[in-house]
Amino acid sequence: MSLLVVGLSHRSAPVSVLERASLTADAQVKLLQDTVAAEPAAEAALLATCNRIELYADVDKFHAGVAELSTLLAQHSGVGLEELTPYLYVHYEDRAVHHLFSVACGLDSMVVGEGQILGQIKDSLARAQELNSAGRLLNDLFQQALRVGKRAHSETGIDRAGQSLVTFGLEQLAAGGDVQTWARGKKALVIGAGSMSSLAAATLARAGVAEVVVANRTCDRAERLARILTEGDDTDVLARAVPMESVPVELTRADVAVSCTGATGLVLTAESVAAAVEGRTAAPSVADGDGPPAPDGEPGRTAATGAQRGNLPATGLGGEDGCPLDLPAVQGTAGFSVLGEAAVAGMAAADLEQHAAWVDNGTVGGAQRAARPRTAGPLDPASDADAIAALAATVATVGRIPERRRPEPVDEPPRPEPVLFLLDLAMPRDIDAAAHRLGGVRLVDIESLAEASAGAPMAADVDQVRRIVSDEVAAFGAALRAAHITPTVVALRTMAADVVASEIARLDGRLPGLDDKHRAEITQTVRRVVDKLLHAPTVRVKQLAAEPGGAGYADALRTLFDLDPEAVAAVSRAEDSTEKDRGPA
C-alpha cells in the first residue's frame, strides 16, 4: 500500500473554483466513507479548509487511486470532473509526506507561517478516527505532521514570516497602517462563532476595539464566545451575542465586520451593505475650479473644459468661430477631443473637409506640422484629399471615423473614506463581492488576500523550516519502510519459535525419560542457535528496508523463508489494533 494525495488549493485553483468546490460537513463525511469503500483505498483522511481541499488515502494502485479519488472529489464537490481536473494536483509516497509536512508548517499557506492550519490538521485526523477511515499509515502521518509543525514554530522564527489569515486581513483593512491604531475605539461585528471567527474576535479585542458583537445561528456558541471575550484577562472589551436576524441592524452600528460561516449562500448582500452605510457617507465636494457637474449627474464627476481636454485655445487649436461641430456637446463627451471619433463620427465628407480645415488653422498646423508624426495631426484639405475621401468612405461603411489620437484621460471621482470595513474569511464567500464597489466600504476577502500575499517577502527562517521538513520526511520514510518489514520479521521469528517448539516436542517423544533440567537446557540451547542465525539477517534487512527502494526486501524475506502471507497480515492487523487502542499522541 502507498500514500496518495489528490487535492486543490489557492495555489492551483482560482478562488471562484475553490468556492464552488467547497464541501459541507455532511459532504466531507460522505466523501471519506465513499473513499474507504472504493476498491483502491484502504484508509482515507480529508483536509478541508477555506483555501484547500485535499484527500489523503492509502492505495494499492497508483493510477486507479488517482482516478478514483479525483472522481470522488468531483462528485461530492459538485464541480464536474472535466472542469475540476486542470486544477488538481497529485502527490505520491514521499512527495505526499513532504506536502503535508509543508502544509503543517505553514509553508503552503496563503500567509506563510500562519499556525491555524495545525488545528485544522488535528480536526481532520479526529474526524477520520471518528469515522474509522484512518488506519495506521494516516494516523502516523497526521500525528507526525502535527509534531513537525509544532517543531517548526518552536525552533524557528517562521511566525515572523507571516501572520494568521485574520491578522493579515486586518492589516489589509488598515491599508498597511498599524492595526491597533486603526482598530482603537471601533465597534466590531463578528458573524460566526467557529475557530476562525473566534480568532478574529480575539484579535480585534486585543487590538483595542471598543465593542465586539457576535452573531451566530447557534445562540449558545455566540454567547460562549462573548463571555470568553468579556472575561479575558488580556482585553478590556464589551462583548455581547445577538441572533443572526439582528445582523442587518448591527451592521448599521458597526465600523468593522468579519464574517466566516459555513453558509452556502451569501450572508451579506451588496444591498444589505449599501443599506448599512446609507447616510454615513457624503459625496466628495467639487474642488474650486473643477467646473460644473457633468451632464450625466454622477456625484463628484465634473465636465472638463476645452482647455482641460486639450482641444481649445489652451492647446493652440483654432477658436470656435467657423467650427462645423456643436462644441458644447463635444466637450461634454468624456474622454474625447474634437479630433476624436466621438467628434467626427457620422460627418458627411464635406463637413469632414470643413472640420479638418478648421482644425488646421490652429498653431499645431502649418509650420509645426512637419515636426510631429504624420498620423498624429489633423488632415490638410489640399494635400490629404485622398485620405479624407478614404475616411469619408469609412464613415459610410462602418458609421464612424476611427480614432486618430488617444482619448484624453478622465479623472475618476475620489472615493469617500471608508466608514465600514468588511473582512470575509469564508469559503465560499459570505459577503457579496459587489460590496467592494460601494462608496464608503472597504472589502477584503480571500481573493484579495491571495493577491496581496503573492508578493510578500519570505523570511530567512523559511529556509530553516524547509530543512526541517526535508529531514522529517526522510526520517518518516525510513520509519515507514522499516515498519513495513516488521510484520514479516515478526512472522519469521514466530515461525522459528514454532519450529523450535515442534522439535522439542519430537525430542520428548524420542527421549521420554529426559528430566526437566536437561530438557530446559536443550530447549534454551536450540533457541539461542535459532536467534543467532536470525539476528544478523533480520537486523540487516530492517536497515536495508529503511533505505529508499527497500520495500522489496520484505517480499524477498517472505519468499526465501516461505512465510504464510496470512501470518504476516495477522501481525499487521494486531499492530493496527494496538495503535488504535493507544489513540493519538
Side-chain angles (χ1 to χ4, degrees), residues 228-319:
I228 291 173
L229 294 173
T230 303
E231 297 173 356
D233 296 332
D234 57 343
T235 63
D236 184 18
V237 64
L238 174 64
R240 56 188 176 88
V242 298
M244 287 293 288
E245 294 75 17
S246 301
V247 166
V249 174
E250 295 296 339
L251 196 62
T252 63
R253 302 177 60 253
D255 301 304
V256 55
V258 180
S259 186
C260 187
T261 72
T264 55
L266 293 175
V267 175
L268 295 179
T269 64
E271 291 76 12
S272 63
V273 175
V277 298
E278 185 177 1
R280 296 167 67 180
T281 61
S285 60
V286 179
D288 293 339
D290 282 349
D296 58 9
E298 291 183 25
R301 185 184 296 274
T302 59
T305 64
Q308 288 171 319
R309 292 194 181 278
N311 58 347
L312 284 182
T315 62
L317 295 180

Side-chain angles (χ1 to χ4, degrees), residues 422-502:
L422 302 175
L423 178 57
D424 185 358
L425 298 173
M427 184 66 69
R429 69 179 75 238
D430 278 349
I431 303 175
D432 192 344
H436 175 73
R437 297 193 293 269
L438 297 174
V441 174
R442 178 176 294 162
L443 169 63
V444 172
D445 55 18
I446 293 293
E447 190 165 12
S448 57
L449 283 175
E451 294 173 357
S453 64
M458 303 289 282
D461 298 276
V462 169
D463 289 336
Q464 186 178 352
V465 173
R466 286 174 175 157
R467 288 192 293 271
I468 289 176
V469 168
S470 296
D471 293 344
E472 291 284 356
V473 169
F476 184 83
L480 192 64
R481 288 185 290 269
H484 179 69
I485 204 170
T486 298
T488 302
V489 172
V490 172
L492 174 60
R493 289 190 171 277
T494 301
M495 184 191 74
D498 291 341
V499 170
V500 170
S502 176

Side-chain angles (χ1 to χ4, degrees), residues 559-581:
T559 302
L560 289 171
F561 287 92
D562 194 23
L563 297 177
D564 182 5
E566 180 56 33
V568 178
V571 175
S572 297
R573 288 194 296 269
E575 290 183 350
D576 288 343
S577 177
T578 302
E579 190 70 22
K580 287 182 179 180
D581 292 341

